[in-house]
């Protein structure tokens, strides 16, 4: 158990834990930046930090939370730990590559962090040109380099998952017996592999223009500033689905387990995941309705944005229907999952306002957008991540955490989250632009509410850090399957041995075969023909 | 009518946007309520230990019901989404092109101020006076980064880009003062790149114009620039160099040497001055020198204002 044995490990479970520790550190750094912003925004005047500092804070918050927390969060930790266990494999297909991914992530992360702390960057996480290439005199190149490096970590993880899920499934584990968690990670991996290279190219072009004054985005040199936005969102919109699809996978596992029901409409849930991943590549222009993009392009992107909302709607309805006639218990993971369904739905419905052209013209670039994506990214992805951590904690660590504290934290986070971000919807509707260091006095009441909510949210995030750490040494020992869940990961001891399975399991059951509603494979097939 | 939480509305478009907003809010609100209600009802009714009826219909019946439910909750959202898309897109499309005869005002954005100039010459900074009831068309460009011209009370926003013109138009409906914000992040003092739009009754607006007409009109300034830059040397009457005539050019179709035809709008005139090799007029030699980097954005708008008047 030396430090070196961890830093040189090829075991997917240990690599998952390396990731878990690193992304937690980045989460709290990104959170600290957000805390300072919320303190600044308690009053209309810019009186706590300077405008330069404020701009660097929201850039740092965005860069760290997007690339060093949300993108790797679920896939690189829970996905890394669980994909082999759920499909009956001993490890990922390429264990050394898996470790390489982590090192790339850490290298990119430390590089970015150093750049952010030794001077920072003020472009916003979106690096819009020509501001980033011509007018910002902050450390743009360094930060972009860090993100560029971390991108390769994403690509390699995606590649590893794709090969693993294709090639290493246990005998009998057909595609339609896979847990939805695996479907979600498969779709996410495809996006990681296809979209991330576009980010790498875009950031490279940005670097070339900034360093060598080659006209790519700068109109004075014959470039086109909107080209950058097209390229950036071609990656960054699918990136939203990198962040939310794995969360949907987790929530399906948890809701099925704690309602003791198979997931309602399993096949359409799987198809919906694939549909979201596919159509998600075709909606990037909805970030650009007021950018000067052609009117007809705007109309097509608007239509496609409504189309991509349909599979998301199916998922919300199917999770709700999964509860019907179940036997529901409210352990902490389930509280997070139910919270996810509500907050994700709310974020998704607010997305319809932004997909609707004439409404977006008023709402885009205001706090409405900030609230919308925080409902999806924080209310959705972070809730699901914490739900997943609480669900598989006994499996990962072999220990139970204090259940009452965990339930309390889940409820506190739900309340704190809404308290923080719901007022931001109203701010946006009233016309408060985002990325404002100072603001008009009539917006103050809602800003104060939001800042007050952020205090509750911060406490909510610190609580699990405390009791989960406590449980590592003091928690009750966990059995192999403390929740009575289905799935191969629950058939091995907690924590699982290095080789995962003594002998390769053979799968004969449909997924989510929860008693007493157990459904045999033969019966389902017979009935559906 | 002002809706709760929406800011006061003061443009013709704004009222139509608010009606759509209310409709989308009502429908999404109803869906959200229904789903939350179901979640809560199911969670309570089927909680562990409750004595709710959990008997299931036979497998075949259940699968049939499942399929019907799924078709319903694919089909119904699809209908609602189509309606929302069509309504919003129609409104957007309808408002895309400014009406003929709109009052034109030039906008040059720079870090971190708005410079505005009326056709009649009045200049303003971070403040825009417009008449109520008359369509106003802003022709906008940026001297540096991307900015965005946002008037919440008009429900309108348009990015302002370097190197090209974007257009925003509106008809104010109520006299008053309204926020003007920069909505696209543009650097250090982005949050101070703000101002106000003052909508005045037409008679009052005329009085405001008269009280502030110290400057020559944009076209007059453009005419002076036309002379100072030596444009007349080739484009003027009786010139030895054969250059395309500029009389009555604005708004007309122009046949290009590469066979395309373009309309002589603001974009064409701007590119013809700055990047003359890009679109050479059919039948003329590409001899015009580029003025790229030599004419400030404001002057360029004056020149174009002059070219629009040349008949």
């Amino acid at each position: 158990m030396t430090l070196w044995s961890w830093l040189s490990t090829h075991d997917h479970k240990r690599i998952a834990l390396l990731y878990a520790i690193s992304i937690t550190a980045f989460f709290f750094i990104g959170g600290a930046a957000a805390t300072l912003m919320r303190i600044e925004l308690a009053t209309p005047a810019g009186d706590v930090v300077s405008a330069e500092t404020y701009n660097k804070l929201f850039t740092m918050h965005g860069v760290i939370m997007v690339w060093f927390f949300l993108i790797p969060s679920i896939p690189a930790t829970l996905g890394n730990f669980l994909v082999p266990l759920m499909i009956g494999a001993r490890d990922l297909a390429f264990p050394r590559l898996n470790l390489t991914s982590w090192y790339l992530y850490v290298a990119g992360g430390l590089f970015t962090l150093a750049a952010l702390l030794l001077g920072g960057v003020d472009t916003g996480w979106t690096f819009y040109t020509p501001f980033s290439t011509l007018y910002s005199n902050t450390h743009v190149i360094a930060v972009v380099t860090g993100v560029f490096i971390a991108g390769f970590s994403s690509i390699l993880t995606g590649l590893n998952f794709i090969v693993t899920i294709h090639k290493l499934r246990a005998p009998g584990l057909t595609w339609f017996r896979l847990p939805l968690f695996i479907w979600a990670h498969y779709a996410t991996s495809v996006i990681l592999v296809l979209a991330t290279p576009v980010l790498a190219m875009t950031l490279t072009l940005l670097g070339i223009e900034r360093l060598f004054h080659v006209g790519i985005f700068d109109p004075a040199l014959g470039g086109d500033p909107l080209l950058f936005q097209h390229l950036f969102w071609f990656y960054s919109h699918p990136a939203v689905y990198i962040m939310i699809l794995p969360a949907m996978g987790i929530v399906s596992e948890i809701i099925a387990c704690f309602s003791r029901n198979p997931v309602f409409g399993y096949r359409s849930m799987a198809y919906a995941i694939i549909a979201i991943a596919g159509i998600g590549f075709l909606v990037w222009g909805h970030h650009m309705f007021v950018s000067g993009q052609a009117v007809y392009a705007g109309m097509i992107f608007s239509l496609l944005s409504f189309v991509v909302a349909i599979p998301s709607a199916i998922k919300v309805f199917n999770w709700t229907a999964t509860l019907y006639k179940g036997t529901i218990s409210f352990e902490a993971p389930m509280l997070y999952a139910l919270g996810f369904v509500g907050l994700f739905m709310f974020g998704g419905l607010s997305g319809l306002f932004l997909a609707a052209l004439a409404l977006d013209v008023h709402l885009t670039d205001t706090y409405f957008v900030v609230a919308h994506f925080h409902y999806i990214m924080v209310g959705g992805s972070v809730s699901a991540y914490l739900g997943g951590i609480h669900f598989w904690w006994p499996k990962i660590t072999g220990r139970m955490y204090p259940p009452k504290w965990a339930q309390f934290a889940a409820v506190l986070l739900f309340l704190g989250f809404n308290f923080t971000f719901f007022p931001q919807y109203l701010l946006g509707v009233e016309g408060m632009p985002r990325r404002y260091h100072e603001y008009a006095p009539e917006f103050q009441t809602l800003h104060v509410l939001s800042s007050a909510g952020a205090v509750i949210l911060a406490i909510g995030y610190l609580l699990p850090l405390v009791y989960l750490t406590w449980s590592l040494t003091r928690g009750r020992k966990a059995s192999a399957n403390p929740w009575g869940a289905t799935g191969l990961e629950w058939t091995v001891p907690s924590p699982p041995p290095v080789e995962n399975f003594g002998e390769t399991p053979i799968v004969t059951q449909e997924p989510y075969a929860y008693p007493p509603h157990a459904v045999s494979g033969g019966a389902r097939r017979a009935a559906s023909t | 009518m002002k809706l709760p939480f929406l800011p006061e509305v003061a443009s013709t478009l704004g009222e139509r946007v608010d009606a759509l907003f209310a409709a989308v809010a009502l429908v999404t609100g109803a869906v959200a309520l229904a789903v939350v209600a179901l979640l809560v009802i199911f969670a309570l009714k089927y909680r562990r230990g409750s004595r709710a009826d959990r008997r299931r219909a036979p497998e075949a019946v259940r699968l049939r019901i499942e399929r019907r439910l799924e078709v319903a909750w694919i089909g119904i959202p699809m209908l609602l989404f189509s309606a929302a898309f069509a309504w919003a897109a129609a409104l957007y499309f309808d408002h895309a092109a400014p009406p003929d005869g709109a009052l034109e005002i030039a906008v040059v954005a720079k870090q971190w101020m708005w410079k505005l100039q009326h056709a009649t010459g009045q200049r303003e900074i971070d403040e825009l006076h417009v008449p109520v009831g008359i369509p106003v068309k802003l022709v906008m460009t940026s001297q540096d980064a991307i900015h965005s011209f946002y008037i919440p009370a008009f429900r309108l926003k348009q990015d302002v880009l370097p190197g090209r013109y974007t257009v925003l138009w509106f008809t104010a409906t109520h006299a008053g003062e309204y926020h003007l914000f920069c909505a696209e992040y543009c650097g250090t003092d982005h949050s101070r790149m703000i101002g106000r739009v003052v909508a005045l009754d037409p008679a009052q607006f005329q009085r405001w114009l008269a009280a502030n007409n110290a400057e020559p009109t944009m076209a007059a300034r453009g005419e002076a620039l036309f002379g100072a830059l030596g444009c007349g040397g080739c484009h003027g009457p009786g010139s030895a160099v054969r250059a395309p005539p500029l009389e009555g050019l604005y708004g007309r179709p122009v046949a290009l040497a590469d066979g395309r035809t373009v309309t002589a709008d603001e974009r064409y005139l701007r590119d013809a001055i700055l990047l003359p090799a890009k679109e050479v007029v059919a039948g003329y030699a590409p001899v015009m020198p580029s003025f790229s980097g030599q004419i400030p954005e404001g002057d360029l708008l004056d020149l174009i204002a002059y070219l629009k008047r040349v008949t």
Side-chain angles (χ1 to χ4, degrees), chain B residues 46 99 117 164 167 170 207 217 220 228 243 263 270 273 281 283 304:
Chain B
Y46 299 112
Q117 189 173 12
R164 73 166 85 168
V167 169
F170 54 81
R207 278 200 294 280
T217 66
T263 304
R270 174 195 179 85
I273 297 167
V281 181
I304 292 172

Side-chain angles (χ1 to χ4, degrees), chain A residues 54-136:
Chain A
Y54 182 81
N55 296 343
K56 287 176 180 175
L57 282 173
F58 70 67
T59 304
M60 175 163 155
H61 173 70
V63 168
I64 287 188
M65 287 304 200
V66 169
W67 282 297
F68 300 99
F69 177 72
L70 282 165
I71 296 233
S73 61
I74 297 171
T77 57
L78 293 168
N80 227 328
F81 197 97
L82 293 164
V83 166
L85 284 166
M86 283 185 167
I87 65 172
R90 295 202 163 182
D91 206 318
L92 289 176
F94 308 116
R96 282 185 189 80
L97 200 62
N98 194 18
L99 185 64
T100 311
S101 294
W102 182 71
Y103 275 104
L104 283 170
Y105 166 79
V106 171
L110 291 179
F111 200 89
T112 308
L113 196 60
L116 291 172
L117 295 179
L118 297 175
V121 67
D122 69 347
T123 59
W125 76 280
T126 44
F127 303 119
Y128 268 23
T129 57
F131 181 71
S132 62
T133 51
L134 287 183
Y135 299 101
S136 172

Side-chain angles (χ1 to χ4, degrees), chain A residues 38-56:
Chain A
R38 282 315 326 165
I39 293 171
E40 169 63 69
L41 292 170
T43 58
D47 41 13
V48 178
V49 295
S50 67
E52 287 90 349
T53 307
Y54 182 81
N55 296 343
K56 287 176 180 175

Side-chain angles (χ1 to χ4, degrees), chain B residues 103-109 114-129 136-140 149 205 208-209 212 214-222 225 296-303 305:
Chain B
L103 185 69
E104 275 193 31
I105 296 173
V107 179
V108 177
W114 299 102
K115 291 164 48 175
L116 303 110
Q117 189 173 12
H118 295 257
T120 38
Q122 293 78 358
R123 291 163 179 253
E124 304 187 67
I125 286 180
D126 292 342
E127 197 168 66
L128 171 63
H129 286 77
V136 174
K137 172 186 171 188
L138 306 181
V139 177
M140 311 189 288
F149 198 94
F205 179 69
W208 180 87
L209 284 180
N212 289 279
E215 308 261 0
T217 66
M218 283 180 71
R221 280 178 44 84
L225 282 165
E297 292 293 348
D299 288 357
L300 204 50
L301 285 159
D302 290 333
L303 261 180

